[in-house]
Each structure stands twice: as C-alpha cells, then as structure tokens.
Amino acid sequence: MNTLPQELRYTTTHEWVRIENDTATIGITEHAQSLLGDLVYVDLPPVKKGLAVGDDAAVVESVKAAADVYSPVDGEVIEVNAALNDKPELINQDPYGAGWLFKVKLVGELPLSLLSAADYEAMLNEE
Amino acid sequence: MLIFEISAKGRRNHLQSPRHAPEASDIPAHLLRKNAPLFPEVSELQVVRHYTQLSRKNFSIDTQFYPLGSCTMKYNPRGVHQLASLEGFLQHHPLTPASHSQGYLQSAYELQQILSHITGLSAVSLTPMAGAQGEFAGVAMIRAYHLARGDTARTEFLVPDAAHGTNPATAVMCGFRIKEIPTDKHGDVDLDALRAAVGPHTAGIMLTNPSTLGVFERRISDIAQIIHEVGGLLYYDGANLNAILGKCRPGDMGFDVMHINLHKTFATPHGGGGPGSGPVAANERLKPFLPTPIVGYDGKHYKWLTEKECPQSIGRLSAFMGNAGIILRANIYARFLGREGLCRVSEYATLNANYLMARLQQAGFTLAFPDRRASHEFIITFKKEAKTLGVTAKDIAKRLLDYGVHAPTTYFPLLVPECFLIEPTETESKEELDNFVNILIMVLKEAQDSPELIKQAPHNLPVRRLDDLKAAKELDLTWRDSQ
Amino acid sequence: MPFIPHTEDDVKAMLNTIGVNRIDDLFDEIPGHLRIRDLNALDSGLNEMTMSRDMKERAERDGGLACFLGAGAYEHHIPAAVWQIASRGEFLTAYTPYQAEASQGTLQLLYEYQTMMAHLMGLEVSNASLYDGASALAEAVLMAVRANTAAKEPRILIAGNLHPHYRQTIEALVRPQGIHLETLPYNDKTGCLEPQLPKIENGDMVAVVIAQPNFFGGIEEVDNITDWAHQHQALVIAVVNPIAMALLKEPGAWGQRGADIVCGEGQPLGVPLASGGPYFGFLCTKMDYVRQMPGRLIGRTIDQDGKTGFSLTLQAREQHIRRAKATSNICTNQGLAVTAATIYMSLLGASGLADVAKASHANSKVLCTALTALPGIRLRFNSPYFHEFVIECPCPADSLIQALLKKNILAGLDLSVLSPELNHCLLICVTETKTSDDIHTYANAVQHALQHILTAVED
Ligand SMILES: Cc1ncc(COP(=O)(O)O)c(C=O)c1O
C-alpha cells in the first residue's frame, strides 16, 4: 500500500479526489480496481450534470461485478475521460493517472468526510 | 461447429412445412419482407445430429449428481412429464371456453388447494411464471394493500444482505427503496439492526426461511412481530420450501404472502434455464390483491376469475395464465406423492444435507455455520484454502466437473467468502453422497499437492476455462455471414 | 418410497454419522409452536397407472376441437424432431448454464437462437428469452425508459389495437414505477392505427408501441409511424408475430432507421398451445442499447487453448450481480421453449418458415371469402391482414361460438371482451394446419348455425 498518492483525498467507498483550484478530478483507488478485476465497461455521467455528495455518478463494470461510483463532492461535471469508453482497462493499469473518471467544478465547501491518504490507508488495513 | 456452418444453399426439408404456398399478392409490396432471414439450410438428420451432439455437452440431473444450492435439482419424474404432455393438454388453446377446459381447470384448482394447505395461506394464484415474477406479484400486492388504505408513506422494503438478487431487484421494480438488514454470525437476521431499520416508511420485508445460508431463522415469530407492529407486511421467498414441507408453514410463521418455485419443490424440470412457475399464496388480508386469472369452483364447474370477480387485483402478469404446463406437472407430482410423500420430501432432503455436512466436516472441510443444523442445504467455505493454497472456490468447482459431478452453487450468498452452497435433495442415494464426499476429498488433496492442476481445471470437458473478459469486451452475440 | 432411494439401513447409518436418533430430530431448530405434524388434509399418493387413467380422462375432456382461435396463441404444425430432441434429459433437466464448461450444449444452442432471432427481426442482438410476449413487452417498455435519455418524462404511447391482455400486463408490471401509458387510437373502419398521427413535442414520449400484425390481424403502415416516432425522439417498440416476419417487412427495416426494440410471443415457433404456456418472450434490439437489455445473453469467446466456446456475458446487468440496480428481476427464463424454437427454425429454414406464413395467410383468405359470402356476415375491418381477421355477424358472436363448439369447432374469439361495441364481432385465425375440407366444414357450420339462430330469433 506504499503506492497511495499522498496528495489525494479519499472516501470510504474507495473513490479518490484530486483538488486543483475549484476543480476536482475523481477516480477509483487501486484497492477498488483490484477488487473488481478487469474492467470491461464504464458508464460516465453526462457533462453539465449536477452532483451532490453521495450521488451515483458513474458505474464501473467488470466481468463478474459492477460498482457505483459516488460523487465525493458537490458540483457540476465539466469533463469526462472519454478514453475509457474504448479502454476501460486504463483504470486497472493506472487508476490514479490515465484511469481518472470525471472532473467536477466545485460548489461550496469540501465535505468533511473526505479522508487523508493516511486515514484511508488505516481504513484499508482494518478491512 | 455452428448449425450455420453446416448449412448449404438450397438444402431444405420438405415434410415439415406446407408445399406450394401461394404468394401473398394482396399485401402491399412495401409491407413485405425483401431479404430472407439468415437461417441455416440443413437436412432433418443434420438438425437431429447437431442438437443431439450439443445436448451431450451438458451436465443435467438425468446424467450427473447436481447439488446446486438454492436450486433443488431433484429428480424430475418421467411419468409426470409424459402425462402433462398428453395430446389433449397440448392442443388446448388458452382462450378455449371454460366448458371445454374442465380438465385443465380442475388440475389447476386442485394445485391451488394443495399449495394453500402446504403454505398455511388462504388463497393462491398460479399465474406468476417463475420465482422472480411471484416475488413481483407479492410485493406489488403489499404495495396495493398499503395504497388501498391510503397509506402512501411506505416507500421502503427491507431485504437481508444474504438475500437472493431477485429480492432487491423485485422490490425496486415495485417502486420501493431498499434497506439492507445485516445477518449475525450464527446466520440469523440481526434483530437489533432490524428494530433500528423499521418505522412508518416500512412497507415490508422479504425473507427466505430456511434462509439462503441454509439455516432456519429461529426468531421468525419475533421478526414478524417487529414488522407487523410498525404496519409492515412480510413476504416469504419460497425457494427453500423443500426444507419444510409438512414440518411448518410460512402462514404460521407470520408471513402475509409468498411464492412457491414449482421448478424446485415440485420437481418440474429446469430446462436449461427455464421454464419455471412461481405461484403466489396470500392470507385473507392480501387475498383480494392476487394477480388474475385465478381458478374458481362452484361445486360443479371450474371457471376463470378475472378482473370482474377480483376488482382489487394487481392485474395480469402474462398474456394468458402463466406456465400452464408446469402447473399441470406440479399437480401430477403432488398427487403422485400425496400427503405422506410430500412430508417425506423435507425429511429426506434434510437427512441428506445433514449427512453430507457431517461427512464433510469429519473430512476436514470448513463449515460456515458449524454450530447449526443444516436445512436442506448448507455452506462450506474455502477461505482457508484460498489463503494458504491460492486455490479458490471457483477452482475447486471447476475440478469437480472433471470428476463428473456438477459443482454446487458458488459465491452465493455473497456474505460467505469462497463458499459452496450444497443442496443434495432427497432423491439422491447414500452411495451418490458418499461418492461426492470422496471426490471432494480427492480434489482437496490435489489442491494441496498440485494446486496448478486445480487452477487450470477443467481438463476433461468439451472446453477449458473460457475467456470471459474477451466475451464481455468484444461482444459476439450473433453469428454473421461474413465470419 | 416414491422417488426416494433410501433403504432402512442407509437411514440408520446416516443418522448415526450425524449423531441423532431420528429424522425428526433434524428439525429441532424449528420452534415448537410452529411445528405441524402432517399434511393429512391432502389425499394419499397415487401410482402411475391410476394417475395415467385420471390424467388421460382429463386430457380427453379438453382436447379434440378444431382450432380457429388465435388471439396471441397459434396452432402450427410442430415437426416430430422438435420435441423429441428438446425433451432429451440433457436439455430438459439442466439448470441455467452458470458453469459454462459443463453447459456448452445449452449455451451454443442459445447463441444460435440469438442469431436466428436477430436475423428474423433484422436487428443486431437478441436475448436468451423472457417469460412470454406480454411480459416481454413490459420489459421492453422499462428498457426504453432507461435507454431514451432524451425523454423528459416516462410517457409511453401504446397502439390502441394491441392485444388487450398485453395492455393489462404492462399496466400491472410498469405502473409501480410511475410510468404513464397513453393510447394511440385506431381507425374504426380499418382496425389499423389512424394515419393522422397526434401532435407531440420532441422528447414528450419515451417510446411508441406498435403491434404488427395488430390484435385484429391487420397489417400496419409501420414505416410512417416509425419515422414519425423517431422525428420526435421517441423509440419504437415493435410487438410482432415471429411467423409473420417471414412474410412481412422485418422491424429492423421499418422506416428510415428501423424499430429500436422488438419483442413478442415466441410460441408460434414450435411450441404447443398447451393452455397458455410455457411459451417464451423474445426481445431484440440494436447494439447501442445492449447494456439496457433485460435477461440473459450468451457470447461467443475462446477457452484457454484458443478453442471456440460460449458463456453468459454482460452479467453485470443481471440481478445476481447488480441486485437492486439490475435491468430486470428475471432469473429463471423459458429456456426449454427456446430450445424447441431453435430446432424448429433450423428444420424449417427461411423458406419453410415463409411457406408457413404464406399458407396461413392464404388459408385465412379462403375462409374469409367463404364466410363473407354468407348473408349477414361482413368483414369488419377493411385492411390487409396476416392470418387473422374479424367478421361481424348478425348475432352476438358468442352464440356462433357456442353453436360451433357443438360441432367440435373452436370458432374464434368473441370481441365483446374487448369492447361492448364489438359484441357481434368474431376474431378468426386460420393457419397452415387447416385443409380446404376443414375450412369448408367451418363455413358450413356457420351457415347452419346462422340459419338456426336467425330463425330462432324470428320465432
Ligand atoms: C432464494 C431464491 N430466491 C428467488 C429465486 C428466483 O426464482 P426464479 O429463478 O424462479 O425466478 C431463486 C432462484 O434461483 C432463489 O434461489
């Protein structure tokens, strides 16, 4: 687990968030992709969609499982990672980089529930 | 080889379809088909040989031990199949007036009575076409009941985390939100969590008892009380009815409505995926909402009851009356067994399960609930083997196929990691069970000595492990001429 | 003991291994207040011989009518090989093909079925079956609601000449999800949908449901309606008779873009009438919507050695994986009926199926001509039809039905069930199974019955 990027924030449902100014980039963690296995399909939200914390934002699907990705923040979708439509395996290969899912223009405060890398790691160790 | 690949242009069978059919000159040309569909052009012998050969690539109850948990793969009696396939039944059109349908209607009515007695519920509709549609009927009836009383606040359905996938999917189809209820470490519903979850929004709960974990929910009467006290109703998923026939009844446990899987408890064949039949039974409170049609009897004649006689019904679930042929089969099976035979079903199903469980425990397999009695099925887990040997439940399942027995249900319920849900059914002999134990012991030994052998299994079947990833990513769902 | 192989010695040994004295001890976790001791209100069991006599007598009571009734279930000739092969134990007594390596027979057959069905409908994909035609339509409606993201509200426009039981079934199955069902009216003279289509705004409707042929047997102008629906961003759901599709334009070719979802009753393809089931529902669609489909799908792939094989695919849509968010709650489907249909389609081939369709059509024309030549009988709707048509009689349709039943003829469906205005109307079906003798017997029986009924009225 020493690969956890320290600059990201995390959720208990295994999403990560990268905050840059008023934009949040969102993906799923290494741990989540390894549980799901080889991904075959990603359903991304439409651009302009408004999201609140906890809303269903995307679906990632493997051969034997499907998982909802919940929005970790409030805001509006401004961009999605279209490369995933043809290559969902990018999430397996590079979950924190080329496998990002979508970007949100933030509205209001960041939720307090977001975890630091250390807290997320502690949570994983408990599981 | 696909049937399309043995096709040759211009080959055709001449006895199976009419000859010299005239062209349909009165239908406007723009409404006619221009290109014939791509069907194979093959002889009768080629068809018979092709599909006979395909059939031989299947495992089935007729050819193998098939201890698939939650599916009740018991022997499907030949006599039942033959008598339900009598010409008079097969020719009978579903909309034939009742005066000329008394044979079928009587059989359906008798089955309604039998099911009502077995379940301890007062009325039955046979129309749902499988378990999941029976669930839909029952949950929709609960919804209709609340709405009929002007109670519109009940928007939530409770479903245990061990439930079959059809349960939450059904409640959502009926417009409810799902609340999952956890299971405690003995396999029972967590009552504290249940108490905390119920309230004025609770429409009802869906439960299986014995549960999908293969144990009897001992505090079922408490659960019923908790739900009824807040105004909710109880739905019983009858998939496991085989375990309790003649021993106890869902109606007495406090359930308001339930379905019965005729293709499990009543030995109708599964047909490689279906058909089934999922009659729904209800108590007095929910009876008015049963789906139509229902068979009525006035002491002389049997007749259909439809919307007219049942104005509060949730309505119709199919074009006609459900899977009538399966209903006939269940009637014949139930009357073959009679009152004594039906009680014996649960006795010997339970005996076989507990025997198999005891033998496997003695052989060193890990039981999920070692302090519990098995119902008609039980769970073993390969969590330990997965950790120490890197061999999963899936690997072991595949290796069992090599030895000519079908694998038990794997990875269901989701709650128990690396699990097998094993249901031997009452129609298997002690020898067959002993043989299965021996095979499992052998496979476990192989897993220890040569794990690679197991991870690569099966080795002796028409195909080896399939590339599911390719299947899902490069979807090939129909054959095209260009291939 | 019937179907239970245990000897007394077996039972003793088994109880011993478990460590209990009696079988009854195995039920000790059931609370005492819930235990029952017997099922004595039921009868004792019967043996095969007694049961055979009983069931034969029942079957005889129901059989023996010459069937001119259709209305959603159709009598066609079923070649001998169909059920002989479909009833093989390996097809009959297998479960759903979850263990792919041990189910290649069922899986390959279903892949071949999907192929034939998709080609018959002119679409790209077919699932492996739903329960029946009516419930398949309900699933198609739910699927359309998921697939059509352009629609503002979940409104569905349904042909008024759809089978009334189909309409009732969708009402029951989709109503709890707050979907609005509205009616597209049909013309009283033609029985077909009004050529003047209603004014709707873009995005008003999720989908339009069209039946081809319609409930009265009539053939719809499907191209116009399809294009009109697509112009308004509504999807087109076609409900079709699969045998008719060997003769009539396939839904994939309707209008500019083709129907989006096609469903219907598969029974005519080799499945007996059998009091209404088991039949099977089919559902086909375009590749774009495959992830919104309900039901099982079989894909072709390869095994570890590169050999072709078949397995269930896109299972993440289904309830056993997706649970509350599955595309449907369906689990058990109608596999065996599909097995029969696949064998049926293979045996007949495209030309055989087209001949069945043409012969049925031709036979129905012959009977219609004979009947409308009788005084007092007229064809109720003046549109082209497939193998069903409606006659208007000078008496309630039911009296004709009762008269013909006495001659062992099942005359058709009394349409007063549909609406009181149609109470003199009879829906009649003729398939390839009827000879010209059968047809003349029917026509003569009607003639006699009418003379009788009308003189009775005059008296
Ligand atoms: C526990 C349980 N509930 C419900 C079902 C659904 O029944 P069906 O497949 O007949 O729809 C099943 C069958 O697999 C089951 O095992």
Side-chain angles (χ1 to χ4, degrees), chain B residues 33 104 372-373 462 476, chain C residues 28-29 62 111 120 304 307:
Chain B
R33 182 166 195 133
Y104 175 74
R372 299 295 304 266
R373 197 69 84 194
D476 173 359
Chain C
D28 56 3
E29 287 196 2
D62 289 1
Y111 177 85
L120 184 59
Q304 275 172 302
K307 187 172 166 191

Side-chain angles (χ1 to χ4, degrees), chain A residues 21-98:
Chain A
N21 303 322
D22 61 349
T23 304
T25 306
I26 289 145
I28 64 169
T29 65
E30 162 66 28
H31 177 74
Q33 76 77 21
S34 74
L35 283 182
L36 285 162
D38 292 324
L39 293 175
V40 296
Y41 181 70
V42 183
D43 190 14
L44 294 166
V47 171
K48 291 218 174 92
K49 180 176 170 144
L51 290 173
V53 174
D55 281 357
D56 292 355
V59 182
V60 285
E61 192 183 301
S62 69
V63 174
K64 290 276 152 73
D68 292 303
V69 178
Y70 305 107
S71 180
V73 294
D74 295 325
E76 185 185 293
V77 178
I78 50 171
E79 192 183 341
V80 299
N81 186 357
L84 297 178
N85 290 331
D86 288 331
K87 292 190 144 200
E89 62 270 25
L90 289 175
I91 299 173
N92 297 111
Q93 292 159 3
D94 187 9
Y96 301 113

